[in-house]
Amino acid sequence: MKARTRFAPSPTGELHIGGVRTAIFSWLLAKHTGGEFYLRIEDTDQERYVPGSTRRILESFDWLGITLDGGPDHEELRAMKTNEDYPGALEDGEYKGVPGPFVQSHRLHLYKQWAEWLVEHGYAYRANETPEELQRMREEAQARKQTFIFREEMRLRPDVRPDEPHVIRMRVLPRDGRTEFDDLIKGRVSFDNAQVDDQVLLKMDGFPTYHLAVVVDDHLQGVTHVLRGDDWLPSAPKHVLLYRYFGWPEPQWAHVPNVLGTDGKKLSKRHGAQSVFEFRDQGYIPEALINFLALLGWAPGGGDEQNVFTREELIAKFSMAGVGSSPAVFDYNKLDWLNGVHIRRLSPDDLAERLVPFLARAGVSVDTPEKRALLRRIVPHIQERTKKLTDAAPLVDFFFGDIQTPPAEMLIGPKMEQPLALHALRETRRVVASVEPFEDAPLEQAMRALCEALGLKPTQLFTIVRNAVTGKSVTPPLFATMAILGRETCLTRLDRAIARLQASA
RNA sequence: GCCCCCAUCGUCUAGCGGUCCAGGACGCGGCCCUUUCAAGGCCGAAACACGGGUUCGAGUCCCGUUGGGGGCACCA
């Protein structure tokens, strides 16, 4: 059976990592079954609306490489400065079989229509208590140590006319029954109707609340599986009731457990990196992030112990049965490891391209064809040394610019005295000047021979040569590094090191 | 306070009544490889929250306790 799923964020800021995980599950389910995954913007709260966030959300999915089968049109949105308004083209029509519009503020007439339908059929009623009045009622209930549940007989003005300002509230029926439903993750869930509020469905401003909008849209847009964070579970009975009132077939419910921070609390703004872009800027690659997030709460099961997955493998193996029911703690260690694994799987040229912006940010500009070529030669040697894209800069900067000649103590190896070190560097200079061809293997051969001749351990000699030639103690493999630097650069740097060492005598 | 959800190594998890003195992965420790740092290989420490049932037999089923999480808006 083909699943049609959706991700329905509010445009209130950056795409949050917890939301991304829910989106990934939804996307995997849809793709696994050959169905559709689309985006719907839930902008029914005008107060919390943050201009530009729809575009940022779209860009997040672009970066993740998750393609949408419906939703606001990418090209048009990208062309706009902000998304405070949507082009008329978004108003109608459908996209890959999913009927639009995909922005709730453009669907107001639908919510109004169905809210009125509920009133007509006795499943909802009009009310017009002010926020202040409601607040007072709530406080009174609290004073009696009771949970405040709004019911129609509590209305202060029971005779609200359709032509005066009012809200529409759902009637929870039957009053004394229970509402039960099956959840793909939680199993059978049951709520006492007496605990369910007569929720406002249509606000005074004509906008729907989430509860009405989500039900109307999911039904009209043919959503088969409702995946969302399990913080929605307590309001699910309202949605179940609405489906039943409307006589619409219920979708499959799946309330996915939340992602927790290391402190065991729901992952939120306070836990460091939150938005997809923050992870991107910290040097994580989408392949790793998707792999990691998928594993956070999902496992292939059936004795399959695979941990590293490509997108395609995830799509092939994903199933709701593998999604766990308990909350998962976000583990940065595992993310880092997976990032390294996926970076190693990249082709060197691909990695080189991805590195460019990170190098630029670190002051290493790779802005000419020559520099690109240089970077491509270097990358194979740093690939297994980079866990995050931000790791590369200190490993490669000395290829692209001059170095500080290291202080004398860095030029005297372990268990060595200054005269020996000086001699060793001079001999190294001779080797470097004469080796033919100036390549990795011949260099290594000659330098090892030099070790023999000097009676030095490789570590001793290579350490000071590394320092002299790169200015650092941690670098890619020495001889490959020297070969790429080139004979002239190596000689220059060796000469400066020799001079520095001499001066220190 | 009320309601709901959850409970296997520090973390992510496998386990769907016996084949589990509980398996894999991250992290951690040790060893090996080694020109630095990585990567890689091998080895190791590390868990069924507790208490009752059910059953010939329970990590697996039921109940309770404890602990954790979430929700109680004209926010999503």
Side-chain angles (χ1 to χ4, degrees), chain A residues 130-142 148:
Chain A
T130 65
E132 295 70 31
E133 288 167 343
L134 289 168
Q135 183 55 31
R136 204 175 321 127
M137 293 163 89
R138 215 167 279 135
E139 280 162 8
E140 281 166 18
Q142 205 165 27
F148 178 62

Side-chain angles (χ1 to χ4, degrees), chain A residues 169-289:
Chain A
R169 284 180 181 269
M170 73 182 286
R171 269 195 186 98
V172 173
L173 298 169
R175 295 272 198 107
D176 55 355
R178 294 188 73 83
T179 299
E180 302 192 336
F181 58 94
D182 289 303
D183 186 282
L184 254 20
I185 294 169
K186 308 290 184 182
R188 189 139 189 96
V189 187
S190 172
F191 290 85
D192 187 349
N193 284 357
Q195 301 288 341
V196 182
D197 200 48
D198 276 4
Q199 183 62 240
V200 169
L201 298 178
L202 202 65
K203 300 186 257 186
M204 199 93 81
D205 64 4
F207 277 68
T209 58
Y210 171 82
H211 310 283
L212 206 219
V214 75
V215 168
V216 168
D217 289 348
D218 284 344
H219 174 256
L220 262 29
Q221 297 183 141
V223 169
T224 59
H225 299 253
V226 173
L227 274 74
R228 79 229 301 196
D230 71 0
D231 40 338
W232 283 111
L233 198 53
S235 51
K238 294 169 187 172
H239 311 145
V240 169
L241 250 19
L242 286 174
Y243 274 96
R244 295 179 185 166
Y245 293 167
F246 285 130
W248 293 339
E250 269 178 66
Q252 302 252 48
W253 304 100
H255 289 89
V256 318
N258 276 125
V259 179
L260 273 28
T262 328
D263 60 356
K265 299 267 187 257
K266 184 178 168 183
L267 201 64
S268 69
K269 308 88 212 156
R270 332 184 293 277
H271 289 92
Q274 287 318 313
S275 76
V276 172
F277 292 130
E278 284 175 281
F279 282 93
R280 178 195 62 189
D281 296 344
Q282 285 176 12
Y284 294 101
I285 64 175
E287 289 87 340
L289 201 56

Side-chain angles (χ1 to χ4, degrees), chain A residues 401-434:
Chain A
D402 207 359
I403 61 167
Q404 293 274 75
T405 302
E409 54 272 27
M410 276 182 75
L411 298 168
I412 302 172
K415 295 174 188 164
M416 246 193 254
E417 297 298 321
Q418 188 267 0
L420 211 206
L422 186 58
H423 178 56
L425 284 183
R426 281 174 172 153
E427 289 302 301
T428 298
R429 190 198 189 285
R430 282 193 8 190
V431 168
V432 168
S434 62

Side-chain angles (χ1 to χ4, degrees), chain A residues 4 16 75 89 192 235 293 320 348 352 363 411 452 504:
Chain A
R4 178 176 293 173
H16 184 273
E75 295 309 318
D192 187 349
S235 51
L293 256 14
M320 288 306 297
L411 298 168
E452 289 277 327
S504 78

Side-chain angles (χ1 to χ4, degrees), chain A residues 385-402:
Chain A
R385 294 172 169 74
T386 100
K387 262 194 164 79
K388 305 188 208 174
L389 298 178
T390 46
D391 294 343
L395 251 22
V396 307
D397 53 6
F398 56 84
F399 285 108
F400 292 90
D402 207 359

